Amino acid sequence: MSEDSLNSLQKTTITNCEQEPIHIIGKAQAHGVIIICDVTTLDILQCSENVEEILGFSLEEILKKNIDMILPEDLMKTLVRKLKDNITLLPKTIRLNNKEFFIIPHLSGESLILDFDPHGGSLDPLVYQEQLTKILNEIGDKQTIPEISQNAVELVKYLFDYDRVMMYQFDEEWNGKVVAEVKESHLESWLGLHYPASDIPKQARQIFLKQGVRIIADVNYKPAAIFPELSPINGKPIDISKSELRAVSPIHIEYLQNMGVGASLTAAIVLNGELWGLLACHHYSPKFINYNQRQSCKFLTQVFSNKLALRTSNVFIEKMAYSEDIRKKLVLQMSSIKHLNDAICKFEPNFTNIVECSGGALVLDGTICMVGKTPTEEQIKFLLSEFLVKQEESLFFTKNLMKKIPAATSFKDKASGVLSIRIGENKNDYLLWFRPQAIESVSWGGKPVKSGVVKDGVEYLSPRRSFEKWTEKKSGAAIPWEEYDFEAAYNLEESITNIIVRNQKDHIKALNDQLLEANKELETFSYSVSHDLRAPLRGIDGYARILRDYCKNKTDDYGRNAINTIINSAELMDTLIEDIISYSKVGQTRIQPVSLSINTILDQILTTHNLSGEYPKTEIIVQEDIPRIVADRRMFSQLLANLVGNALKYSAKTAHPTVELGFNVKDGRTVYFVKDNGIGIDAAGKEKIFEVFSRVAGDDFAGSGVGLAIAKKIIEKHNGALWLDSKLNEGSTFYFSIPEDL
Ligand code: ADP
């Protein structure tokens, strides 16, 4: 494929630089050959054009032939068997054209890709083994991450002797920083320099994640195109991103050339599945290390990554142990100090000590308690109302608040970094931690801009040419929040929420106790008042009756009616007082449970109150053998009298009044019921009828509105339940049930 067709395939412009299709660059590096076969027939479909120069076969000779014309019989057998049984293919050595090669196989879709990679001088297995042992022994003696990194680059320099070996660590925006370096003495040091993210674009980082180690043996090589360019299987460019010999992006080559680099070796450092950094080796003339050595390098980066993971988790554990210690002290303070604000803001330690920060604020029940260096109260209120309350997640963090709220620029020296978490059930309570902007002097390895080359009106990618040191003062962002900060915030939030909930429970319990006390007092009061009212009422009633007899013939109808109204009102008032007394009595009396026969009680009610005489039209059906109940005799007689009385009263005016008394068993519980086909109660009425003096039936029916309140109280005293089913104009059924083990 010509350079022009490569350009047309890539069509990469400065605006889509992240999309440069480097995984399908259809070329091989000059030092080896890529052969691509059909995985089922093993016929050679494509091959890099340098095959004749390196393996001694011309393109015409091998294309469309079977790979067995190149591979010896025993190797062919193993290959066919492994492909059939789906077993991982391993590299093998082979002698061809008087040279030793590694054949490195892998699969890409329907194709088998074979890299013929120079053996590069024999490496004694003992030396190889020694290398691996050295790596295992030496990486990881050190403790801090910069120390381990320095250790690794020194070892790589010793093993492979590149002119410059660097450990390059990415930040969260994918800019890289040289964190360790070892170099030939005449070279200028790059330690501490930063490189912009665009130097290693996204797709290059993805390839590093896949492939691990990548060598460019000669930066000035002439790449060998793969012929034919497109796969005969599907007519598409083939993905050779896993090939050891894949040619590199021309942009990257130009980048290295601009730096004066002659050869490079790069290995990915992967931490928790993400690219943490790169081990980058530069040589200032061509340099090749063979497959085994590259595997040693890969092994080294894996050992390094493990050590890194261990160190990172140790840091996490240390930080967590510290914040846990503070959290426990805060919990103690919260348990012994009455007000939460005081407990976590006013004493040592306070809540800001749990993470590294310059200040914080507790927002609780509308008050803001500030600790350390913080924005003003007004600014915090603004941050809450304009931003934090609108966040869906309970935890929010940023290292650069100004990017989210431009107005936050005015307090960037107090709170560029914000970590916040909601506390309790109330969505307006928060814990906030602040970090000021960190002013950092960043030395870039060249000005971090990518310049484009304009051709035919399209701006094409072109790498940086200048690597002159360029220092920039960076501000606006705070030191980023870490996973252990979030964990500490979550844990403290949980403790505070628990304490708030516990305090709320205590508060509710205290209120309840007060209410019970008040209720008791009220019951006693209403009992004595009602009792005291009865004496004068008897007087009124008695004298009204005497007056009625005395005036029998001395007054007219008007006078007689007036006297009768006094007597009726006094009677009504007496019933009311009677009801109030019964209601208060239920509250004050302790229950004395005995075994009761509901059938007997119902008989008594119906005969003593002559209810069947009063309601002659009503059919009263009492189910036989209603189970006995263990309850207070007086109270249950009253309960049943009230329910039965209501059923008879509120059904009396229907055409065929029927009242049914019985039971059923539901979920092993005996449920008693009193059913009528009377006026029924609507939904709104159902809500009210159990309250004292609450009536919904209207003046057609006499009553005080206390009967059901008494019934409810009796059932509550027995820890039971009272409920109803009712439909307006169709009738009502009242159910009750109490626990058997009273
Ligand atoms: P009242 O002395 O008014 O009957 P209750 O406390 O016994 O007082 O009942 C409260 C209200 O509930 C009644 O005024 C009535 O509106 C309604 N009610 C009670 N029982 C029935 C029922 N069986 N059918 C229809 N309404 C009822």
Side-chain angles (χ1 to χ4, degrees), residues 643 647 660-662 664 671-678 680-681 686 690 722-727 730-736:
L643 295 181
E660 200 184 325
L661 314 160
N664 53 49
V671 176
Y672 303 88
F673 67 82
V674 178
K675 184 175 176 182
D676 66 65
N677 61 350
I681 306 163
K686 281 184 202 165
F690 293 105
L722 171 65
W723 68 101
L724 78 152
D725 251 354
S726 185
K727 241 185 178 173
E730 286 184 21
S732 316
T733 310
F734 284 80
Y735 301 91
F736 66 88

Side-chain angles (χ1 to χ4, degrees), residues 646 649-650 676 681 689 694-697 703-708 732:
N646 279 348
K649 176 165 67 174
Y650 293 109
D676 66 65
I681 306 163
I689 53 171
S694 156
R695 311 203 64 241
V696 290
S704 64
V706 182
L708 285 181
S732 316

Side-chain angles (χ1 to χ4, degrees), residues 436-497:
Q437 64 169 338
I439 300 178
E440 218 191 337
S441 175
V442 180
S443 297
W444 293 96
K447 207 169 178 176
V449 283
K450 202 162 216 176
S451 52
V453 175
V454 180
K455 216 163 127 197
D456 303 332
V458 178
E459 196 173 11
Y460 287 92
L461 266 184
S462 156
R464 297 196 291 124
R465 281 161 210 287
S466 157
F467 292 91
E468 288 277 294
K469 252 196 208 171
W470 187 78
T471 307
E472 181 194 17
K473 278 235 177 306
K474 266 186 122 186
S475 61
I479 298 167
W481 303 99
E482 302 284 346
E483 200 59 42
Y484 43 75
D485 295 322
F486 308 146
E487 206 62 25
Y490 273 126
N491 291 345
L492 181 60
E493 178 272 330
E494 202 182 324
S495 302
I496 295 181
T497 303

